[in-house]
Amino acid sequence: MLLLGTGASGVGKSTVRRRVGPRVEALGVEAVEFSDLVDFPAVPDTAWRQRSAEVVVRRALDLAALGRHLLMAGDPLPPGEIVAAPSGPALGGFDVLLLDADEEVQRTRLTGRGPVDGDLVHHVAFATWFRGHVHDAGYRRDVLTDTGWDGLAAERLTGRPWRPTVLDTSTLTASAVADAVETWVRDCLGTRRGRG
């Protein structure tokens, strides 16, 4: 099973992965981010992220063959890129947790880290787009296709072929977010097991 914890920059993804990873290992869940699976280019772009999504899918499938699960968290990976990856259909569905924060909190967190990579307006716009995309794979598909990888199966960007949950981290401590994400992982695993 693939569990995708995602969202725009400044919502708490990396912090959560570091805190939750050790907790879910005993549940048979491997927690990773892109840097655990692929090399970063000097300037990561949309096409690189989409090629990397295929690596994520393959890792999830490899783990599934061993009776284990993958929690991909720490990077802004849109769920549509999982669906549209070459091996995406082999997953048979997955769960998505969108970590979100209001604009003021996102801006404060990003500027508090030091120099912002890119213009803040782009980070805020990406967060806004994510909110639409998590409920509809085809929402503003141009965000994924205009500068995307030619291996992306854009025709699969329709509907919502995943189970979405949204967690607003705006007023939560890092510990509270980690607790909520751990609960979400446990719930996802319990629901899937209950179906089998």
PDB file of all heavy atoms in Angstrom, residues 69-97:
ATOM      1  N   HIS A  69       4.458  -1.653   3.441  1.00  0.00           N
ATOM      2  CA  HIS A  69       3.803  -0.455   2.915  1.00  0.00           C
ATOM      3  C   HIS A  69       4.821   0.678   2.801  1.00  0.00           C
ATOM      4  O   HIS A  69       5.859   0.665   3.454  1.00  0.00           O
ATOM      5  CB  HIS A  69       2.667  -0.022   3.843  1.00  0.00           C
ATOM      6  CG  HIS A  69       1.790  -1.155   4.250  1.00  0.00           C
ATOM      7  ND1 HIS A  69       0.841  -1.700   3.413  1.00  0.00           N
ATOM      8  CD2 HIS A  69       1.744  -1.872   5.404  1.00  0.00           C
ATOM      9  CE1 HIS A  69       0.230  -2.692   4.040  1.00  0.00           C
ATOM     10  NE2 HIS A  69       0.756  -2.823   5.238  1.00  0.00           N
ATOM     11  N   LEU A  70       4.481   1.684   1.999  1.00  0.00           N
ATOM     12  CA  LEU A  70       5.348   2.843   1.805  1.00  0.00           C
ATOM     13  C   LEU A  70       4.606   4.108   2.203  1.00  0.00           C
ATOM     14  O   LEU A  70       3.489   4.359   1.725  1.00  0.00           O
ATOM     15  CB  LEU A  70       5.789   2.951   0.343  1.00  0.00           C
ATOM     16  CG  LEU A  70       6.754   4.101   0.037  1.00  0.00           C
ATOM     17  CD1 LEU A  70       8.117   3.831   0.676  1.00  0.00           C
ATOM     18  CD2 LEU A  70       6.913   4.304  -1.463  1.00  0.00           C
ATOM     19  N   LEU A  71       5.221   4.900   3.073  1.00  0.00           N
ATOM     20  CA  LEU A  71       4.744   6.249   3.375  1.00  0.00           C
ATOM     21  C   LEU A  71       5.703   7.209   2.696  1.00  0.00           C
ATOM     22  O   LEU A  71       6.871   7.313   3.080  1.00  0.00           O
ATOM     23  CB  LEU A  71       4.716   6.509   4.886  1.00  0.00           C
ATOM     24  CG  LEU A  71       4.469   7.970   5.309  1.00  0.00           C
ATOM     25  CD1 LEU A  71       3.104   8.456   4.815  1.00  0.00           C
ATOM     26  CD2 LEU A  71       4.592   8.120   6.822  1.00  0.00           C
ATOM     27  N   MET A  72       5.230   7.866   1.654  1.00  0.00           N
ATOM     28  CA  MET A  72       6.019   8.873   0.953  1.00  0.00           C
ATOM     29  C   MET A  72       5.622  10.215   1.528  1.00  0.00           C
ATOM     30  O   MET A  72       4.467  10.642   1.388  1.00  0.00           O
ATOM     31  CB  MET A  72       5.726   8.796  -0.552  1.00  0.00           C
ATOM     32  CG  MET A  72       6.370   9.877  -1.375  1.00  0.00           C
ATOM     33  SD  MET A  72       8.167   9.788  -1.324  1.00  0.00           S
ATOM     34  CE  MET A  72       8.575  11.270  -2.243  1.00  0.00           C
ATOM     35  N   ALA A  73       6.551  10.874   2.212  1.00  0.00           N
ATOM     36  CA  ALA A  73       6.256  12.169   2.823  1.00  0.00           C
ATOM     37  C   ALA A  73       7.531  12.998   2.840  1.00  0.00           C
ATOM     38  O   ALA A  73       8.635  12.463   2.881  1.00  0.00           O
ATOM     39  CB  ALA A  73       5.725  11.975   4.241  1.00  0.00           C
ATOM     40  N   GLY A  74       7.365  14.293   2.823  1.00  0.00           N
ATOM     41  CA  GLY A  74       8.518  15.179   2.869  1.00  0.00           C
ATOM     42  C   GLY A  74       8.717  15.984   1.608  1.00  0.00           C
ATOM     43  O   GLY A  74       9.530  16.904   1.577  1.00  0.00           O
ATOM     44  N   ASP A  75       8.007  15.650   0.556  1.00  0.00           N
ATOM     45  CA  ASP A  75       8.160  16.359  -0.720  1.00  0.00           C
ATOM     46  C   ASP A  75       6.786  16.756  -1.264  1.00  0.00           C
ATOM     47  O   ASP A  75       5.794  16.082  -0.998  1.00  0.00           O
ATOM     48  CB  ASP A  75       8.851  15.454  -1.746  1.00  0.00           C
ATOM     49  CG  ASP A  75      10.260  15.087  -1.325  1.00  0.00           C
ATOM     50  OD1 ASP A  75      11.127  15.978  -1.354  1.00  0.00           O
ATOM     51  OD2 ASP A  75      10.492  13.922  -0.954  1.00  0.00           O
ATOM     52  N   PRO A  76       6.747  17.823  -2.063  1.00  0.00           N
ATOM     53  CA  PRO A  76       5.473  18.254  -2.653  1.00  0.00           C
ATOM     54  C   PRO A  76       5.119  17.421  -3.885  1.00  0.00           C
ATOM     55  O   PRO A  76       5.213  17.882  -5.020  1.00  0.00           O
ATOM     56  CB  PRO A  76       5.731  19.722  -3.016  1.00  0.00           C
ATOM     57  CG  PRO A  76       7.203  19.757  -3.308  1.00  0.00           C
ATOM     58  CD  PRO A  76       7.835  18.753  -2.372  1.00  0.00           C
ATOM     59  N   LEU A  77       4.720  16.185  -3.664  1.00  0.00           N
ATOM     60  CA  LEU A  77       4.401  15.259  -4.755  1.00  0.00           C
ATOM     61  C   LEU A  77       2.887  15.203  -4.954  1.00  0.00           C
ATOM     62  O   LEU A  77       2.172  14.668  -4.111  1.00  0.00           O
ATOM     63  CB  LEU A  77       4.951  13.873  -4.427  1.00  0.00           C
ATOM     64  CG  LEU A  77       4.632  12.738  -5.406  1.00  0.00           C
ATOM     65  CD1 LEU A  77       5.122  13.059  -6.809  1.00  0.00           C
ATOM     66  CD2 LEU A  77       5.236  11.434  -4.904  1.00  0.00           C
ATOM     67  N   PRO A  78       2.377  15.755  -6.050  1.00  0.00           N
ATOM     68  CA  PRO A  78       0.943  15.690  -6.305  1.00  0.00           C
ATOM     69  C   PRO A  78       0.489  14.245  -6.552  1.00  0.00           C
ATOM     70  O   PRO A  78       1.159  13.488  -7.252  1.00  0.00           O
ATOM     71  CB  PRO A  78       0.763  16.530  -7.580  1.00  0.00           C
ATOM     72  CG  PRO A  78       1.966  17.416  -7.632  1.00  0.00           C
ATOM     73  CD  PRO A  78       3.074  16.578  -7.051  1.00  0.00           C
ATOM     74  N   PRO A  79      -0.646  13.853  -5.983  1.00  0.00           N
ATOM     75  CA  PRO A  79      -1.121  12.482  -6.193  1.00  0.00           C
ATOM     76  C   PRO A  79      -1.385  12.154  -7.660  1.00  0.00           C
ATOM     77  O   PRO A  79      -1.246  11.007  -8.066  1.00  0.00           O
ATOM     78  CB  PRO A  79      -2.389  12.396  -5.344  1.00  0.00           C
ATOM     79  CG  PRO A  79      -2.767  13.795  -5.033  1.00  0.00           C
ATOM     80  CD  PRO A  79      -1.522  14.608  -5.082  1.00  0.00           C
ATOM     81  N   GLY A  80      -1.714  13.148  -8.465  1.00  0.00           N
ATOM     82  CA  GLY A  80      -1.929  12.901  -9.886  1.00  0.00           C
ATOM     83  C   GLY A  80      -0.692  12.364 -10.574  1.00  0.00           C
ATOM     84  O   GLY A  80      -0.780  11.610 -11.540  1.00  0.00           O
ATOM     85  N   GLU A  81       0.482  12.732 -10.067  1.00  0.00           N
ATOM     86  CA  GLU A  81       1.721  12.237 -10.666  1.00  0.00           C
ATOM     87  C   GLU A  81       1.951  10.769 -10.324  1.00  0.00           C
ATOM     88  O   GLU A  81       2.628  10.064 -11.076  1.00  0.00           O
ATOM     89  CB  GLU A  81       2.894  13.117 -10.234  1.00  0.00           C
ATOM     90  CG  GLU A  81       2.779  14.501 -10.835  1.00  0.00           C
ATOM     91  CD  GLU A  81       3.872  15.461 -10.463  1.00  0.00           C
ATOM     92  OE1 GLU A  81       4.624  15.206  -9.500  1.00  0.00           O
ATOM     93  OE2 GLU A  81       3.978  16.496 -11.154  1.00  0.00           O
ATOM     94  N   ILE A  82       1.369  10.306  -9.247  1.00  0.00           N
ATOM     95  CA  ILE A  82       1.404   8.875  -8.931  1.00  0.00           C
ATOM     96  C   ILE A  82       0.474   8.124  -9.882  1.00  0.00           C
ATOM     97  O   ILE A  82       0.846   7.117 -10.480  1.00  0.00           O
ATOM     98  CB  ILE A  82       0.980   8.626  -7.465  1.00  0.00           C
ATOM     99  CG1 ILE A  82       1.968   9.269  -6.494  1.00  0.00           C
ATOM    100  CG2 ILE A  82       0.786   7.141  -7.183  1.00  0.00           C
ATOM    101  CD1 ILE A  82       3.330   8.646  -6.464  1.00  0.00           C
ATOM    102  N   VAL A  83      -0.729   8.643 -10.039  1.00  0.00           N
ATOM    103  CA  VAL A  83      -1.729   8.020 -10.924  1.00  0.00           C
ATOM    104  C   VAL A  83      -1.228   7.959 -12.364  1.00  0.00           C
ATOM    105  O   VAL A  83      -1.424   6.961 -13.053  1.00  0.00           O
ATOM    106  CB  VAL A  83      -3.059   8.814 -10.872  1.00  0.00           C
ATOM    107  CG1 VAL A  83      -4.024   8.377 -11.953  1.00  0.00           C
ATOM    108  CG2 VAL A  83      -3.697   8.674  -9.511  1.00  0.00           C
ATOM    109  N   ALA A  84      -0.564   9.032 -12.802  1.00  0.00           N
ATOM    110  CA  ALA A  84      -0.139   9.134 -14.192  1.00  0.00           C
ATOM    111  C   ALA A  84       1.259   8.570 -14.444  1.00  0.00           C
ATOM    112  O   ALA A  84       1.736   8.581 -15.577  1.00  0.00           O
ATOM    113  CB  ALA A  84      -0.200  10.590 -14.647  1.00  0.00           C
ATOM    114  N   ALA A  85       1.908   8.049 -13.416  1.00  0.00           N
ATOM    115  CA  ALA A  85       3.213   7.389 -13.602  1.00  0.00           C
ATOM    116  C   ALA A  85       3.007   6.111 -14.407  1.00  0.00           C
ATOM    117  O   ALA A  85       1.934   5.493 -14.333  1.00  0.00           O
ATOM    118  CB  ALA A  85       3.839   7.076 -12.238  1.00  0.00           C
ATOM    119  N   PRO A  86       3.994   5.689 -15.178  1.00  0.00           N
ATOM    120  CA  PRO A  86       3.823   4.474 -15.984  1.00  0.00           C
ATOM    121  C   PRO A  86       3.310   3.275 -15.196  1.00  0.00           C
ATOM    122  O   PRO A  86       2.452   2.531 -15.679  1.00  0.00           O
ATOM    123  CB  PRO A  86       5.226   4.236 -16.544  1.00  0.00           C
ATOM    124  CG  PRO A  86       5.819   5.610 -16.651  1.00  0.00           C
ATOM    125  CD  PRO A  86       5.290   6.339 -15.434  1.00  0.00           C
ATOM    126  N   SER A  87       3.822   3.066 -13.990  1.00  0.00           N
ATOM    127  CA  SER A  87       3.398   1.912 -13.175  1.00  0.00           C
ATOM    128  C   SER A  87       2.232   2.231 -12.246  1.00  0.00           C
ATOM    129  O   SER A  87       1.817   1.362 -11.463  1.00  0.00           O
ATOM    130  CB  SER A  87       4.577   1.402 -12.340  1.00  0.00           C
ATOM    131  OG  SER A  87       5.633   1.007 -13.174  1.00  0.00           O
ATOM    132  N   GLY A  88       1.691   3.425 -12.316  1.00  0.00           N
ATOM    133  CA  GLY A  88       0.615   3.849 -11.417  1.00  0.00           C
ATOM    134  C   GLY A  88      -0.578   2.920 -11.338  1.00  0.00           C
ATOM    135  O   GLY A  88      -1.069   2.626 -10.236  1.00  0.00           O
ATOM    136  N   PRO A  89      -1.086   2.405 -12.473  1.00  0.00           N
ATOM    137  CA  PRO A  89      -2.259   1.530 -12.404  1.00  0.00           C
ATOM    138  C   PRO A  89      -2.049   0.263 -11.582  1.00  0.00           C
ATOM    139  O   PRO A  89      -3.000  -0.292 -11.045  1.00  0.00           O
ATOM    140  CB  PRO A  89      -2.525   1.185 -13.871  1.00  0.00           C
ATOM    141  CG  PRO A  89      -1.960   2.329 -14.638  1.00  0.00           C
ATOM    142  CD  PRO A  89      -0.734   2.733 -13.858  1.00  0.00           C
ATOM    143  N   ALA A  90      -0.809  -0.179 -11.445  1.00  0.00           N
ATOM    144  CA  ALA A  90      -0.538  -1.406 -10.690  1.00  0.00           C
ATOM    145  C   ALA A  90      -0.792  -1.241  -9.195  1.00  0.00           C
ATOM    146  O   ALA A  90      -0.931  -2.228  -8.480  1.00  0.00           O
ATOM    147  CB  ALA A  90       0.901  -1.854 -10.930  1.00  0.00           C
ATOM    148  N   LEU A  91      -0.872   0.007  -8.732  1.00  0.00           N
ATOM    149  CA  LEU A  91      -1.107   0.240  -7.309  1.00  0.00           C
ATOM    150  C   LEU A  91      -2.516  -0.163  -6.882  1.00  0.00           C
ATOM    151  O   LEU A  91      -2.722  -0.570  -5.746  1.00  0.00           O
ATOM    152  CB  LEU A  91      -0.899   1.711  -6.953  1.00  0.00           C
ATOM    153  CG  LEU A  91       0.532   2.205  -6.883  1.00  0.00           C
ATOM    154  CD1 LEU A  91       0.550   3.715  -6.709  1.00  0.00           C
ATOM    155  CD2 LEU A  91       1.287   1.529  -5.757  1.00  0.00           C
ATOM    156  N   GLY A  92      -3.480   0.011  -7.781  1.00  0.00           N
ATOM    157  CA  GLY A  92      -4.859  -0.317  -7.418  1.00  0.00           C
ATOM    158  C   GLY A  92      -5.438   0.628  -6.389  1.00  0.00           C
ATOM    159  O   GLY A  92      -6.281   0.253  -5.589  1.00  0.00           O
ATOM    160  N   GLY A  93      -4.991   1.877  -6.356  1.00  0.00           N
ATOM    161  CA  GLY A  93      -5.490   2.870  -5.414  1.00  0.00           C
ATOM    162  C   GLY A  93      -4.502   3.122  -4.291  1.00  0.00           C
ATOM    163  O   GLY A  93      -3.622   2.308  -4.031  1.00  0.00           O
ATOM    164  N   PHE A  94      -4.652   4.259  -3.660  1.00  0.00           N
ATOM    165  CA  PHE A  94      -3.770   4.639  -2.554  1.00  0.00           C
ATOM    166  C   PHE A  94      -4.450   5.734  -1.745  1.00  0.00           C
ATOM    167  O   PHE A  94      -5.491   6.251  -2.138  1.00  0.00           O
ATOM    168  CB  PHE A  94      -2.387   5.072  -3.061  1.00  0.00           C
ATOM    169  CG  PHE A  94      -2.399   6.233  -4.022  1.00  0.00           C
ATOM    170  CD1 PHE A  94      -2.076   7.512  -3.587  1.00  0.00           C
ATOM    171  CD2 PHE A  94      -2.720   6.052  -5.358  1.00  0.00           C
ATOM    172  CE1 PHE A  94      -2.083   8.587  -4.466  1.00  0.00           C
ATOM    173  CE2 PHE A  94      -2.720   7.116  -6.252  1.00  0.00           C
ATOM    174  CZ  PHE A  94      -2.404   8.389  -5.796  1.00  0.00           C
ATOM    175  N   ASP A  95      -3.862   6.051  -0.615  1.00  0.00           N
ATOM    176  CA  ASP A  95      -4.415   7.060   0.270  1.00  0.00           C
ATOM    177  C   ASP A  95      -3.539   8.304   0.263  1.00  0.00           C
ATOM    178  O   ASP A  95      -2.312   8.208   0.194  1.00  0.00           O
ATOM    179  CB  ASP A  95      -4.523   6.511   1.692  1.00  0.00           C
ATOM    180  CG  ASP A  95      -5.541   5.396   1.781  1.00  0.00           C
ATOM    181  OD1 ASP A  95      -6.738   5.706   1.813  1.00  0.00           O
ATOM    182  OD2 ASP A  95      -5.142   4.219   1.790  1.00  0.00           O
ATOM    183  N   VAL A  96      -4.185   9.468   0.354  1.00  0.00           N
ATOM    184  CA  VAL A  96      -3.481  10.745   0.306  1.00  0.00           C
ATOM    185  C   VAL A  96      -3.846  11.575   1.523  1.00  0.00           C
ATOM    186  O   VAL A  96      -5.030  11.725   1.849  1.00  0.00           O
ATOM    187  CB  VAL A  96      -3.854  11.532  -0.978  1.00  0.00           C
ATOM    188  CG1 VAL A  96      -3.214  12.915  -0.966  1.00  0.00           C
ATOM    189  CG2 VAL A  96      -3.452  10.756  -2.219  1.00  0.00           C
ATOM    190  N   LEU A  97      -2.826  12.115   2.158  1.00  0.00           N
ATOM    191  CA  LEU A  97      -3.017  13.076   3.233  1.00  0.00           C
ATOM    192  C   LEU A  97      -2.403  14.391   2.777  1.00  0.00           C
ATOM    193  O   LEU A  97      -1.185  14.479   2.600  1.00  0.00           O
ATOM    194  CB  LEU A  97      -2.338  12.611   4.524  1.00  0.00           C
ATOM    195  CG  LEU A  97      -2.391  13.610   5.692  1.00  0.00           C
ATOM    196  CD1 LEU A  97      -3.837  13.879   6.117  1.00  0.00           C
ATOM    197  CD2 LEU A  97      -1.586  13.089   6.870  1.00  0.00           C
TER     198      LEU A  97
END
